[in-house]
Amino acid sequence: MNTTLRNLILSVALIGVPAGGFTVAELMMSPVGATAGTPAAGLGDLSAYAAIVADTQKIAATGDFAAAGHRITDLEVLWDRNADTMRAADANGWGMVDAANDAAFKALRASAPDAASVNAALDALVVALGAPEGGTPAAVAGGSVQRVSGIAVTDANGHALPCEVLIKQLDSAIGAKPAAAAVAGLQTKALERCNADDDTSANALSAQALAQLKG
């Protein structure tokens, strides 16, 4: 489909997007299809996924987690439909976004969804969609401080902070007390991504952990 036509369809369809069900644009997007129209290396244009996440964030902000969970299911269906193609194109990038997807699904489908956990998971998913291979998120390209769960993960120029900075903040916040299982899990994953020189993903994970500690 012509790129201009696809963008026009997406723009029109996103006006008054329903809380559930695919928009016409989502169904017509190419199989490898998320952030603000910026192609992610290997996985292709992910804007259809980012649009669903943006809708979900808006709905979750109202406190209607049931509706937000219904909307995020649209992402799950679309993602699974294209999984084989994307995994073959970029297994590492696919894995990073898939893990962020699962965290968002889990947060929204909890028996009693926690607003902080939901927001942190969705923020991390936005970051993952913007930089599935650990690069600079598309949203950062404009050059401004980016935040996950209210915590800065980039400098004023939009560059990811050294992952060691947020890991040190997390260590200080935890202190001598044993961390809760959820926080400890995020901390472990953050260290793994930091050791892999993936500052973007490590920072998102550390920010989620810090947000949970702050309650």
Side-chain angles (χ1 to χ4, degrees), residues 69 134 164:
E164 294 83 3

Side-chain angles (χ1 to χ4, degrees), residues 16 29 63 66-67 92 124 186 193-194:
M29 291 295 285
N92 184 59
L186 289 168
R193 297 317 307 164
C194 191

Side-chain angles (χ1 to χ4, degrees), residues 6-202:
R6 284 172 51 194
N7 289 339
L8 177 60
I9 292 173
L10 181 59
S11 298
V12 173
L14 287 178
I15 298 175
V17 172
F22 291 115
T23 64
V24 173
E26 287 159 8
L27 291 173
M28 296 181 71
M29 291 295 285
S30 59
V32 182
T35 82
T38 301
L43 295 182
D45 179 14
L46 301 176
S47 57
Y49 304 98
I52 295 173
V53 177
D55 290 343
T56 303
Q57 288 180 306
K58 291 177 182 177
I59 298 168
T62 70
D64 190 346
F65 296 120
H70 187 53
R71 180 59 173 147
I72 202 72
T73 297
D74 293 340
L75 182 147
E76 183 177 30
V77 173
L78 188 62
W79 183 258
D80 288 346
R81 188 179 74 186
N82 300 318
D84 290 344
T85 300
M86 290 190 290
R87 190 187 296 113
D90 180 0
N92 184 59
W94 178 87
M96 291 299 298
V97 178
D98 192 61
N101 283 342
D102 288 342
F105 301 153
K106 182 177 180 180
L108 281 165
R109 293 168 181 169
S111 56
D114 173 71
S117 297
V118 168
N119 292 336
L122 291 174
D123 284 344
L125 179 52
V126 169
V127 173
L129 285 168
E133 295 181 294
T136 303
V140 171
S144 60
V145 174
Q146 299 297 306
R147 300 177 185 277
V148 171
S149 301
I151 297 168
V153 294
T154 73
D155 61 21
N157 294 316
H159 300 130
L161 295 173
C163 54
E164 294 83 3
V165 172
L166 284 180
I167 285 176
K168 185 175 181 179
Q169 289 181 24
L170 180 56
D171 286 340
S172 297
I174 292 174
K177 297 181 180 179
V183 172
L186 289 168
Q187 183 183 35
T188 297
K189 292 178 181 177
L191 287 168
E192 290 175 352
R193 297 317 307 164
C194 191
N195 289 333
D197 294 326
D198 183 356
D199 288 340
T200 299
S201 297

